[in-house]
Amino acid sequence: MIVIMRSYTIAAACALLGVQSLAGAQSTKPAPATLPATQAVATTRPSADSFLPRLASDVWQDRQRAADDLVRMGEDARPIVKQLLARSLGDIDVRTRLETVRSLLDENRILGPSYITIHLKDADPKTVFEEVSRQCYSDLKPFPDNLFDQKDLPKVSVDIDRQPFWTAMSQISEKTGIDLQQYNEGVRLMRGGFRVTSAYSAIQGPFLVVANSITRTQTEMLANGGGSSSEFCMQLVVYSEPKLHVLSSSSTVKIDVAVDNAGNSLIPTAPDNRGYYGGASGIWNLYSQLKFPDKKPGTRIARFKGSADFVVQTKSQQIQIPDIVGIKEVTRVVADIPVVFHEMKKNGEIWELRLSANPQALGPGRWNQFNQSVQSNLQVVDNAGQILDHRGMRSRGTGNGIEFTLLFAKSMRPSDARSSGDPAKVLWEISTGSKEINVPFEFKDLPMPR
């Protein structure tokens, strides 16, 4: 068998920006400050009176831009909207727009983009990322734990005003040399990593879509009767904002437009049955099958437009079980399913947590989410709150449902080289509400393998 492969790597996939928040939609973090308390560049905060003439303008485009500006202000717009609605406004259109803005602020808090405003001069990276954490409603943790204590980190000046999270994060990462990168089953702030190539990335709401590689392979079989085959596809990496908890992704990319610079359509005639090869912690890898032109192929993909669907958590339930080592046959109702925690015992260096549930209590879709949550969201912590390493899971069918055995081991703290203690508590967040979001994206002038 002879295989000829031609591919273009467009942006690195494994260590780009992306994170999944365990806080989900139930976060109780305080509303972000417009400006940090220290080292801030003075700015003027818009007043309610400054918005009223724009909202009441005779030109509808001006009214819409005023409403859009309020939405981009994020949580800082709430007091302005509240003040204006409290007035006896006779203009029904103004009140309607303000009500719409308030609804969009509520929705964006969970499912929309976070808008970041930071004005700092000669600030240390720790201060910058603390402010980003407040404004994106997620605790962005460094790796190692003492990353921000390193003496060679540069002081940076940041001047960002109401920019979407991914736009702001790209600028900050360029200045600090610190990116969000995958670490075990989550993501952490780390030095180095890969930068987003703007020509091959698209921001859609709280999602960042990166065209990572385009591959073309041609295979000639020399045995078993011979034959030939070829494949032409694009790999995409999708990153969700930290506050989002993405439960699942569509298995394929829906292609609306795919054409090369010679005018050839690249949309395959047969359905694409190839799905994503992995997704966790806010990072999702998707494949899009393409058709290579039979005659006179172009040298560039002039336009590629498509979309993918994601199921995002909107509500969640928090489960805490203390004294987990001594637990015996304790039942908790988790997402409408009675779950029995049988025991936690030590087997050599591994701690085994055994629990069971009945899938008949839910339909197939919700059971799949429950099953995934058992594997990825259930955590065991020690008395100091340090998370033990998750070392895998076994499952088996029983007469009463399915029994899970989750494996945990002591983890090492990189900041002081101390390992975690014995298990003390189970922390488990499980989704109780979700919404499907369609994420469209478009790329132009991509390199095309020949």
Side-chain angles (χ1 to χ4, degrees):
M1 180 175 68
I2 300 174
V3 178
I4 300 175
M5 177 182 290
R6 301 180 179 91
S7 66
Y8 285 91
T9 298
I10 298 179
C14 297
L16 209 58
L17 308 173
V19 64
Q20 173 175 314
S21 169
L22 292 178
Q26 301 299 309
S27 172
T28 57
K29 292 182 181 295
T34 303
L35 298 175
T38 61
Q39 297 177 295
V41 177
T43 61
T44 302
R45 182 181 300 214
S47 66
D49 289 335
S50 68
F51 276 97
L52 189 54
R54 298 173 60 199
L55 290 165
S57 171
D58 293 333
V59 182
W60 73 266
Q61 293 94 333
D62 292 340
R63 299 195 300 269
Q64 186 60 51
R65 279 192 288 268
D68 292 343
D69 287 345
L70 281 169
V71 173
R72 280 193 291 270
M73 287 179 66
E75 294 300 309
D76 290 327
R78 288 192 185 276
I80 295 175
V81 174
K82 184 178 180 180
Q83 288 178 43
L84 292 175
L85 285 173
R87 301 179 184 180
S88 299
L89 299 177
D91 192 327
I92 299 300
D93 184 70
V94 172
R95 295 196 66 87
T96 301
R97 286 184 182 277
L98 288 170
E99 293 286 359
T100 300
V101 168
R102 186 164 62 180
S103 297
L104 287 173
L105 290 173
D106 291 340
E107 182 175 330
N108 281 352
R109 171 64 185 85
I110 300 173
L111 300 175
S114 299
Y115 290 99
I116 307 299
T117 295
I118 300 177
H119 301 286
L120 290 169
K121 185 176 181 180
D122 297 330
D124 58 85
K126 181 179 181 181
T127 300
V128 175
F129 284 109
E130 284 177 346
E131 190 60 30
V132 174
S133 293
R134 282 193 290 272
Q135 296 191 35
C136 75
Y137 301 99
S138 185
D139 186 13
L140 306 181
K141 296 183 178 179
F143 178 84
D145 290 349
N146 63 350
L147 170 65
F148 294 128
D149 296 331
Q150 296 177 10
K151 302 301 183 182
D152 61 336
L153 288 176
K155 297 284 187 177
V156 295
S157 295
V158 181
D159 189 15
I160 297 173
D161 194 53
R162 300 171 198 159
Q163 292 297 313
F165 173 82
W166 290 116
T167 301
M169 194 66 186
S170 178
Q171 295 177 31
I172 293 169
S173 295
E174 281 294 330
K175 289 177 176 289
T176 62
I178 297 173
D179 281 339
L180 280 166
Q181 302 178 40
Q182 195 157 12
Y183 174 80
N184 290 340
E185 295 182 4
V187 288
R188 304 280 286 273
L189 292 168
M190 302 184 196
R191 301 188 75 168
F194 299 91
R195 302 291 188 267
V196 177
T197 303
S198 59
Y200 306 127
S201 63
I203 296 173
Q204 180 63 39
F207 291 89
L208 170 69
V209 184
V210 178
N212 183 67
S213 65
I214 301 171
T215 301
R216 181 187 175 214
T217 62
Q218 297 168 280
T219 304
E220 294 290 338
M221 299 297 298
L222 304 181
N224 301 321
S228 62
S229 64
S230 63
E231 185 175 32
F232 181 36
C233 66
M234 180 186 299
Q235 186 222 346
L236 303 163
V237 187
V238 184
Y239 303 87
S240 63
E241 249 194 58
K243 66 182 179 183
L244 262 64
H245 188 162
V246 178
L247 302 174
S248 63
S249 162
S250 55
S251 59
T252 59
V253 172
K254 179 181 180 296
I255 305 176
D256 298 317
V257 178
V259 61
D260 68 11
N261 59 347
N264 299 302
S265 173
L266 307 179
I267 299 178
T269 54
D272 183 5
N273 296 319
R274 185 176 188 178
Y276 65 88
Y277 66 83
S281 303
I283 302 175
W284 301 87
N285 302 286
L286 304 176
Y287 276 105
S288 179
Q289 198 72 31
L290 299 171
K291 176 188 175 183
F292 197 81
D294 295 328
K295 297 180 180 179
K296 297 182 178 179
T299 58
R300 312 284 293 181
I301 297 179
R303 187 182 180 203
F304 180 91
K305 181 180 180 182
S307 64
D309 294 324
F310 296 85
V311 177
V312 179
Q313 175 179 291
T314 57
K315 294 189 297 183
S316 65
Q317 178 186 3
Q318 307 282 346
I319 301 295
Q320 293 192 26
I321 301 179
D323 304 322
I324 188 61
V325 174
I327 203 168
K328 294 291 183 183
E329 308 300 323
V330 172
T331 300
R332 295 283 191 274
V333 177
V334 181
D336 301 326
I337 303 177
V339 179
V340 180
F341 292 81
H342 299 289
E343 64 176 346
M344 187 163 202
K345 64 180 182 180
K346 193 172 186 181
N347 184 359
E349 297 300 318
I350 300 294
W351 287 92
E352 299 181 352
L353 174 61
R354 188 165 59 91
L355 57 109
S356 61
N358 191 339
Q360 295 180 355
L362 294 173
R366 290 190 61 197
W367 171 256
N368 289 338
Q369 290 184 10
F370 175 87
N371 186 45
Q372 178 66 28
S373 181
V374 172
Q375 299 182 54
S376 59
N377 295 351
L378 191 152
Q379 296 179 330
V380 174
V381 301
D382 64 11
N383 280 319
Q386 185 177 354
I387 300 173
L388 276 71
D389 284 343
H390 187 200
R391 296 293 179 86
M393 185 189 77
R394 302 190 300 267
S395 63
R396 66 184 184 92
T398 67
N400 297 321
I402 296 180
E403 182 179 280
F404 303 89
T405 301
L406 281 71
L407 310 178
F408 297 90
K410 292 182 178 182
S411 61
M412 187 71 70
R413 284 206 300 259
S415 59
D416 54 16
R418 294 177 58 188
S419 64
S420 60
D422 290 337
K425 181 190 298 185
V426 165
L427 301 177
W428 187 7
E429 180 191 34
I430 186 167
S431 174
T432 57
S434 61
K435 181 178 180 179
E436 185 173 276
I437 297 178
N438 180 260
V439 180
F441 46 85
E442 182 173 354
F443 303 104
K444 295 182 178 180
D445 194 32
L446 302 172
M448 182 169 164
R450 297 301 301 270

